[in-house]
Amino acid sequence: MIGHNPLNGAKVANLSPAIGEELGVDSMHPGVLVLDIGKGSPAARIGLQAGDVVLRINDREIQLVKHMKEELSKRVSKWKISIRRNGKVLTSVIRW
């Protein structure tokens, strides 16, 4: 993702059964899979990790990369991001 947002530096893909199986990630629920994080990027600084699945941004359900791009294009001072990591849902609020 690029732009002025906390997920800048994250390489993402739509979560599909094929990708989920290949990478060992639960693909039964929709979301956007984080494939890689640029070293020193905003995404790395907030603790995002490869294998995380982005579920919600600012209370909008994220099912596709397209949805993520739409939300991340907004100029806001606070981001609420929910991810699934190792079967647990984690939510963080980031002031930007």
Side-chain angles (χ1 to χ4, degrees):
M1 303 275 49
I2 58 172
H4 186 72
N5 63 71
L7 300 183
N8 185 352
K11 181 179 176 184
V12 298
N14 293 324
L15 183 57
S16 68
I19 289 177
E21 184 177 327
E22 182 178 328
L23 299 177
V25 176
D26 177 13
S27 63
M28 294 304 295
H29 306 285
V32 172
L33 178 65
V34 177
L35 299 172
D36 193 28
I37 301 290
K39 191 172 188 167
S41 68
R45 289 193 301 271
I46 68 163
L48 203 62
Q49 299 175 11
D52 289 346
V53 178
V54 179
L55 304 173
R56 300 184 80 74
I57 297 176
N58 294 338
D59 295 321
R60 178 180 179 186
E61 187 174 6
I62 303 299
Q63 295 184 359
L64 301 169
V65 172
K66 173 185 168 183
H67 301 151
M68 181 181 253
K69 287 180 179 180
E70 290 168 359
E71 282 305 303
L72 294 177
S73 70
K74 297 176 181 176
R75 289 284 207 191
V76 297
S77 60
K78 181 174 73 171
W79 298 89
K80 183 178 177 184
I81 301 170
S82 296
I83 62 165
R84 185 174 59 244
R85 178 183 293 160
N86 299 324
K88 295 180 182 172
V89 175
L90 308 170
T91 301
S92 296
V93 176
I94 300 131
R95 301 227 181 257
W96 198 250

